Amino acid sequence: MYGISIVITAILIPFLMHSYDDHLEGQQSFCPFKMLTGMPCPGCGMTKSLVSLYNGELMQSLHYHLFGPLLLAFMVLILFKLIYELFIGKEIMVKYFYSIRLAYIAFALLGCYHIVRVVLFLKTHNLDSILKESIWK
């Protein structure tokens, strides 16, 4: 039950933001790392990506974070898996969802994507614009 409530909350927060906020582009990031450094962390843009996806803007979603749509698909899959396990009373597909190899692959993909994002970020931003995105304005 805890897992189901956590996944539903993770899906609902960006949906509620979509319902009440139409101007995400100019908003300050919620990311503590970005607020301190002005640089994006590996997960920066994920919430904006999900909100854009809820708005039906796939390309904008991919612009904010490439893995946003994949995260939503994964959370929906996990939600259905957990609900099904609750009804049948036993765990299913354990070797796939708790695979260390899968975790390493996901970590490597996210790491490579983040390195590319940081390099592109540094090429397109000067020190003043980086500081403007931090709390050190």
Side-chain angles (χ1 to χ4, degrees):
M1 290 299 289
Y2 290 123
I4 293 171
S5 61
I6 289 170
V7 172
I8 288 174
T9 302
I11 291 172
L12 280 180
I13 287 174
F15 182 76
L16 293 174
M17 289 177 74
H18 148 73
S19 300
Y20 295 107
D21 193 4
D22 290 336
H23 52 283
L24 285 176
E25 189 67 38
Q27 297 292 332
Q28 175 69 32
S29 176
F30 297 126
C31 175
F33 183 81
K34 188 166 187 172
M35 284 194 275
L36 287 174
T37 66
M39 304 272 296
C41 77
C44 274
M46 197 69 78
T47 303
K48 289 180 180 182
S49 176
L50 292 176
V51 171
S52 294
L53 196 60
Y54 290 146
N55 285 330
E57 300 168 353
L58 178 62
M59 295 311 290
Q60 186 70 20
S61 174
L62 293 171
H63 168 75
Y64 284 126
H65 201 290
L66 187 64
F67 293 116
L70 292 173
L71 176 66
L72 182 62
F74 183 71
M75 287 189 301
V76 169
L77 178 68
I78 290 291
L79 181 62
F80 284 126
K81 174 191 178 299
L82 291 173
I83 290 171
Y84 183 72
E85 287 177 351
L86 189 63
F87 282 116
I88 65 170
K90 65 177 185 174
E91 290 185 347
I92 59 168
M93 301 182 348
V94 173
K95 69 178 183 176
Y96 299 112
F97 283 97
Y98 300 108
S99 166
I100 194 71
R101 177 181 284 167
L102 186 61
Y104 284 142
I105 291 170
F107 179 75
L109 288 173
L110 185 61
C112 290
Y113 175 65
H114 181 62
I115 290 169
V116 169
R117 278 180 67 183
V118 167
V119 167
L120 293 174
F121 183 83
L122 290 174
K123 282 186 175 183
T124 59
H125 290 78
N126 60 22
L127 183 59
D128 290 333
S129 67
I130 292 172
L131 288 176
K132 189 180 266 186
E133 294 194 31
S134 72
I135 58 174
W136 311 110
K137 306 172 192 175

